[in-house]
Amino acid sequence: PIPPRKIVTNFNEALRTVNKIGLPVILKPEYSYGASRGVIRVNATTELEEKFKFTQGFCLKKGIIIEKFIDGLEHTIESITINEKTTVLAISDKIRTNNPYCVATSLDYPSRQEKNIIKKLELAAKKAIAVSGIKNGASHIEAISLDGQVYVIDFGGRGGAGGFIPSVVVPRINGINMMENMIKISLGEKIGSLKPRFWNSVIYRFFVAKPGIVRSVSGIKKVQKFSWLIDIKMHVKKGDRIEVLSNQLLRPGYFVIVGKNHQEAERRANLIQRLVRIKTE
């Protein structure tokens, strides 16, 4: 299940496609270096030409994907496939910006959606993996749920976040070392059980700051004492410039926390955000 979409190579073709699909739409480079670079939402035809040129600036080839924007809740889905049998290991609810850029600001695990939506997300992932031809390996899929339906919007034959999710996040959710299993698959070795050993809530969240020159970064040392803080990284320092959050590479930092349940995890994530501050001017 995917949203209506078409690949175009020029503005006139883009305009015809938008009129056919209907607004709003998302523009994506057909080929790029990833990280949501060149991905932008279009709400009116008067915006199309300017935003078409924006996306062209990130294209490695001429093609631009025009896709119907589904204004629902986004999810990430991590899976491992062995001998064409797929096991879904983790599903998140994603918080993101969406107008005009679509950049994740938080991945909250596991998804809090109703069981029927979780089943539909798992089924959509398994169908996408089967169609892709992957018989053995990992996959990172992004999907949107809306009004009881799900739509696959992104597919990677890899672990999520450059391997960060399989190695840091998934083991804290359920005790499954996804990265170790990915390595064993690559070596042709047998992997162990993919049955969860426990269930925790994990939040993988990104710092957001107002665009401008960084005047101070504070609170990092204060929060490092928390045993439930799994990881924290700040990519900016005093004097650096923070740009408008138009792609994932521009996020100034991140942290990962674990909790026994959603409520505890959310409280802890909010505490980190209160204590760690990035001041810009």
Side-chain angles (χ1 to χ4, degrees), residues 157-214:
R158 56 178 174 80
F164 186 81
I165 293 175
S167 58
V168 177
V169 177
V170 174
R172 267 73 180 198
I173 298 169
N174 51 32
I176 298 170
N177 192 325
M178 186 176 175
M179 179 60 77
E180 181 182 329
N181 288 324
M182 289 165 61
I183 294 169
K184 286 183 175 180
I185 292 169
S186 299
L187 295 172
E189 297 180 3
K190 280 191 172 183
I191 69 171
S193 171
L194 294 177
K195 187 176 180 180
R197 291 165 43 202
F198 53 77
W199 282 106
N200 284 325
S201 290
V202 174
I203 293 179
Y204 174 22
R205 187 162 292 178
F206 300 88
F207 293 110
V208 176
K210 290 182 179 180
I213 304 298
V214 177

Side-chain angles (χ1 to χ4, degrees), residues 42-232:
V42 179
N43 297 306
T45 53
T46 53
E47 306 169 0
L48 182 60
E49 187 171 10
E50 180 185 354
K51 292 182 176 179
F52 188 84
K53 289 177 180 177
F54 169 82
T55 301
Q56 277 182 319
F58 293 89
C59 289
L60 299 179
K61 296 185 179 180
K62 287 185 177 180
I64 290 178
I65 300 168
I66 298 181
E67 185 175 276
K68 179 68 176 177
F69 182 80
I70 308 296
D71 200 3
L73 179 63
E74 193 166 334
H75 311 271
T76 59
I77 308 168
E78 307 297 321
S79 306
I80 280 185
T81 301
I82 303 293
N83 297 325
E84 301 185 54
K85 183 180 179 182
T86 295
T87 300
V88 174
L89 302 179
I91 300 177
S92 78
D93 293 338
K94 178 190 285 191
I95 300 170
R96 57 164 166 76
T97 62
N98 71 1
N99 199 10
Y101 308 108
C102 297
V103 180
T105 56
S106 187
L107 303 181
D108 298 357
Y109 296 88
S111 172
R112 306 185 199 189
Q113 302 311 295
E114 295 178 358
K115 287 183 178 179
N116 67 312
I117 296 297
I118 299 298
K119 287 181 179 179
K120 287 182 179 181
L121 288 167
E122 290 179 349
L123 180 59
K126 290 176 179 179
K127 284 182 176 180
I129 292 163
V131 169
S132 77
I134 292 175
K135 296 179 180 179
N136 293 281
S139 59
H140 170 80
I141 292 171
E142 297 182 9
I144 291 180
S145 62
L146 178 67
D147 297 333
Q149 301 300 316
V150 302
Y151 306 85
V152 173
I153 59 167
D154 189 62
F155 182 99
R158 56 178 174 80
F164 186 81
I165 293 175
S167 58
V168 177
V169 177
V170 174
R172 267 73 180 198
I173 298 169
N174 51 32
I176 298 170
N177 192 325
M178 186 176 175
M179 179 60 77
E180 181 182 329
N181 288 324
M182 289 165 61
I183 294 169
K184 286 183 175 180
I185 292 169
S186 299
L187 295 172
E189 297 180 3
K190 280 191 172 183
I191 69 171
S193 171
L194 294 177
K195 187 176 180 180
R197 291 165 43 202
F198 53 77
W199 282 106
N200 284 325
S201 290
V202 174
I203 293 179
Y204 174 22
R205 187 162 292 178
F206 300 88
F207 293 110
V208 176
K210 290 182 179 180
I213 304 298
V214 177
R215 291 308 177 203
S216 66
V217 178
S218 61
I220 297 287
K221 288 184 179 180
K222 186 181 293 185
V223 302
Q224 284 176 333
K225 64 183 179 182
F226 298 137
S227 61
W228 39 263
L229 178 67
I230 305 303
D231 194 13
I232 186 168

